[in-house]
Amino acid sequence: MTGFAIRFLACNLCISVIIVLLFAVKSLLGKRLTSRSQYRLWFPLLGLLAVPFLPLEHIRFPAFPAWFHAWKPQNASAQTPGNIPDSLLSARESTGWMNDFAISASQKAPSVLGAACSIVWICGMAFLLFSFIKSMLHLSDIRQSALPLQNAGVRSLYRHCLVEMHIRRSIPVRSTAFIKSPMISGLFFPCIYLPASLISDYDAVSMRYMLLHELSHYRQKDTLASCLMNTARIVYWFNPLVHLALREMHTDREIACDAFVLDLLCESDYESYGQTLLAFADRISRMPAPFCAGISTGMAQMKKRILHIAGYRPATLQKHLLSLLCFLLITALLCCFIPLLHIRASDDSKSRLPESGRQVSEPDLSSILDGYDAGFVLYDTKSGTWQIYNKESALTRSVPASTFKIYSALLALENGTITPEQSLLGWNGQNNVYDSWNRDQTLDSAMRNSVTWYFQTLDAQAGPSAIQQFIRDIGYGNQDAGNDAATYWMDASLKISPVEQVQMLQKLYDNAFGFQPEHIEAVKRAIRIDASRYGLLYGKTGTVAADGKNICGWFIGFVEKEDSTCFFALNIQKDSQAGGPEAVQLAGRILEYLQVWK
């Protein structure tokens, strides 16, 4: 919920921009659009306001710049030496390939901010909802006190108005002493309510105008629009631009109804209709319930309506066609904002299920992974089948930590920073956490011992812009390299899910990137761990930590056989003791259980 609140606030920045653009469009095209088209322009906005809450996660959206993914949890990464598991066959040369090291940071501040935003937002909605419930109870009292229309003259006039509006449904008309201006209420069972004071000595002309106006609300389904507008007002209570847009929409709604009525009148009756509106200007400016529509509005809105009536001319066919075209174009443009407003789309913590391969099974690995929040993925190229344990975790992105060193090496090879034949980098003499790091390193030794300074040196020579472009080109995870070339793969900027890890390994193996084949082979050689009668085992570990405790461990890789290749990724999470070494040990048991490696 806290993460949702943060992303929802970020969505409101985009919503505010959309509202400003809509006002600009209305200002430029107002005179060229019909009154009803100007009113209808607000409905796409109502649709966009609903987007953050709709289940659209299975719809593919285009990638957007990383700057939009505003609030990111500041996970940390660190690795301490662990015991070497015996579940895998002995690794080549040494066990250094299991060691990782990164930095550590706290992630508490964003969580506190998210919780505070959630509480304030919910409290604001609860307050408004309470006031709306009170209004609805008041409306219920009005309904109970209302009496069927008794005046024969008004009933006859009302039937004539139904014919004028081409409405076949018989909408009840009732009178009540508890309202001061006419209104229509009821989403499924609409009813028109007239003030009792206007019926006893009614003026037929004014009464006709009022009835036509209320029936035009019915024709436009304005009671439904009122429901949507007030729902938006509750949910977006904190956004002043949303309230401004809804107020303008309310004005445009009344102007559209006025235009509906004016189209039925002679031009000589326009002044009389305007005077009828002015007669209600000193009455209440709000409906007694929020889900009603009526003829009465505030003074500022009344001024706009009178000016509209004074200059009203029936729209020509050309104006109707132009209005329709503009409406369709503007709606299409607004639909382009859907990916930015969709909470799940703007949330980079999730990936999608693989599309390649039709067969997906869910092995029961609970006995092996008991005590961990773990996601495991295995893809067999021969059978084209996926085996996914715990889909939720398998689709959840985490910091890649040292597993990204595979692609850091590939970038350096492609940039020419190193070559397969010459990859030696000199040690700067500073003591590191592992003795094996305190010497000159080649790509093979640096990958085997997970020498962080080696890959940080490669990344520093590439630079942040080249790194960002590279991860976008290969489609790595959330494709966000942050701003720090030294820590982006371990400071929660870059994230990837187990499913995506497997997909990336397959692309690497098949060289779907279109890179130099010798560079692909150099990286594969650097991550080769062991050989057995099952084939060749390749892999890389990674560890994420917070507050000095290992909370997330990776082991990714593939088993190369004569007739197939099996790609796998395991991510484990726990409050502590969940690092790369633990992931290796558990992955060994899983691969043996699935008869992939022993």
Side-chain angles (χ1 to χ4, degrees), residues 318-340:
Q318 182 180 3
K319 190 171 185 179
H320 279 295
L321 293 176
L322 178 61
S323 297
L324 178 60
L325 179 61
C326 290
F327 173 77
L328 293 176
L329 288 176
I330 293 171
T331 300
L333 290 174
L334 291 179
C335 286
C336 296
F337 286 90
I338 291 178
L340 289 177

Side-chain angles (χ1 to χ4, degrees), residues 86-91 97 376 378 528-538 555 558-561 566 568 584 586-598:
D86 297 325
S87 56
L88 292 175
L89 294 179
S90 58
W97 62 273
F376 176 80
L378 177 74
R528 178 175 166 179
I529 295 173
D530 201 8
S532 78
R533 61 187 179 87
Y534 282 86
L536 300 176
L537 175 65
Y538 300 79
F555 185 44
F558 53 92
V559 177
E560 188 179 49
K561 303 182 180 183
C566 294
F568 65 88
V584 171
L586 294 169
R589 294 174 59 189
I590 294 172
L591 294 177
E592 182 175 354
Y593 173 74
L594 298 178
Q595 298 182 347
V596 175
W597 179 267
K598 186 175 181 180

Side-chain angles (χ1 to χ4, degrees), residues 24-36:
V25 168
K26 281 174 57 63
S27 177
L28 291 173
L29 302 178
K31 294 182 179 180
R32 295 178 175 84
L33 302 178
T34 64
S35 302
R36 290 177 219 173

